[in-house]
Amino acid sequence: MDIDKVASFMAGHARLLDRRRFELLMGEGDPAGALAALEGYRNADGGYGWGLEPDLRSPESQPGSALHAFEVFEQAPSPRAAELCDWLQTVTRPDGGLPFALPLTVAQATAPWWQGADRSESSLQITAVTAAAARRVAAHDPAVAAHPWLARASAYCLEAISSLKERPHAYVLAFAVRFLDTQPSASDLLDRLGAFVPPDGEMHVEGGTEHEMLRPLDFSPAPGLPSRRLFTAEAVAADLDRLEGLQREDGGWTVDYATISQAGALDWRGAVTVDALRILRDNGRLGQTPGRGA
């Protein structure tokens, strides 16, 4: 893995937000810079849109964009995180869950799964992954930790997960596992979901591309998480080797799922490059590089 090549890739290919996140990941930069870049995706209602979720280009605030905003707040704390919870409260359904997506004002260049979302019911997939990200922010943000939206969303997720009788869609399963990693008292639910995870941790994504797979690090990205017990040490090590080896010649990583627009495809590469480096760093695979901190 060549960190200098990553820096060159980010300069030449990534959106400003991910360049700022990369700086923070490397121990450089100013959190204010990342927050300023995120501000361009914010709407007056307190939510986020404008392609913050790269395959959802419509400008209005969307639950799918909230996840990515919380990812920034995890690196760069801000009062905007609690304001995002305020917005999420306004679009939460009576059962405490979030709809997969809200009505679009601009459908062009947006993925069909966002366009065709069922808005009449809550989505465990989007609620679980968003609530998990919010709980990671809550670890250092008391206003988010105490927010009533997070309590409602968490209660919905626990109830929905406990109601699962058969293996759900791959992304629903992975995001439910990530949510349960933020719920130490739900060990029994995590074990129940573990029964749906293949022994090698590899799961093809139904409805995705031919090669679209979820693997151990998609379920359990960091050491010390409760979900690590679902995988052998050998499976995790092999997946780390795989991830490290996916760096392209230009220095960046890419995705194995379908992208919808040229802008979205480029935005995803910068975002997943930051995600790959974060996972490798958290797992001790990102060594010290001259001029950069790991």
Side-chain angles (χ1 to χ4, degrees), residues 88-150:
L88 287 166
Q89 184 86 304
T90 69
V91 299
T92 294
R93 294 186 53 77
D95 62 1
L98 294 168
F100 191 77
L102 299 172
L104 306 179
T105 56
V106 178
Q108 288 77 9
T110 288
W113 50 87
W114 296 116
Q115 293 188 44
D118 184 352
R119 302 174 183 95
S120 66
E121 61 181 30
S122 295
S123 164
L124 176 57
Q125 178 174 332
I126 202 68
T127 309
V129 73
T130 304
R135 287 208 163 272
R136 293 193 297 272
V137 174
H140 57 68
D141 188 328
V144 173
H147 201 283
W149 168 77
L150 187 53

Side-chain angles (χ1 to χ4, degrees), residues 70-92:
F70 281 130
E71 290 173 339
V72 178
F73 296 137
E74 189 177 358
Q75 290 183 280
S78 168
R80 292 293 201 208
E83 294 172 10
L84 176 55
C85 292
D86 291 339
W87 176 77
L88 287 166
Q89 184 86 304
T90 69
V91 299
T92 294

Side-chain angles (χ1 to χ4, degrees), residues 12-201:
H13 298 80
R15 57 186 176 178
L16 178 60
L17 176 62
D18 293 315
R19 294 180 67 187
R20 291 293 200 174
R21 293 185 64 211
F22 171 66
E23 278 192 317
L24 294 177
L25 190 66
M26 294 294 102
E28 302 172 353
D30 182 352
L35 294 172
L38 178 62
E39 196 70 8
Y41 298 92
R42 188 176 185 272
N43 288 309
D45 59 13
Y48 294 80
W50 297 98
L52 182 56
E53 157 47 65
D55 287 330
L56 207 174
R57 311 303 294 183
S58 197
E60 74 284 333
S61 299
Q62 289 284 349
S65 297
L67 159 66
H68 300 298
F70 281 130
E71 290 173 339
V72 178
F73 296 137
E74 189 177 358
Q75 290 183 280
S78 168
R80 292 293 201 208
E83 294 172 10
L84 176 55
C85 292
D86 291 339
W87 176 77
L88 287 166
Q89 184 86 304
T90 69
V91 299
T92 294
R93 294 186 53 77
D95 62 1
L98 294 168
F100 191 77
L102 299 172
L104 306 179
T105 56
V106 178
Q108 288 77 9
T110 288
W113 50 87
W114 296 116
Q115 293 188 44
D118 184 352
R119 302 174 183 95
S120 66
E121 61 181 30
S122 295
S123 164
L124 176 57
Q125 178 174 332
I126 202 68
T127 309
V129 73
T130 304
R135 287 208 163 272
R136 293 193 297 272
V137 174
H140 57 68
D141 188 328
V144 173
H147 201 283
W149 168 77
L150 187 53
R152 288 185 66 202
S154 298
Y156 162 80
C157 290
L158 290 170
E159 175 62 27
I161 292 170
S162 67
S163 298
L164 292 173
K165 304 301 182 186
E166 57 186 25
R167 184 177 72 81
H169 187 277
Y171 279 117
V172 176
L173 179 58
F175 295 163
V177 168
R178 290 193 202 177
F179 171 76
L180 291 178
D181 273 335
T182 71
Q183 302 287 310
S185 62
S187 179
D188 58 332
L189 283 180
L190 182 58
D191 288 337
R192 284 177 54 190
L193 289 190
F196 298 136
V197 179
D200 61 2

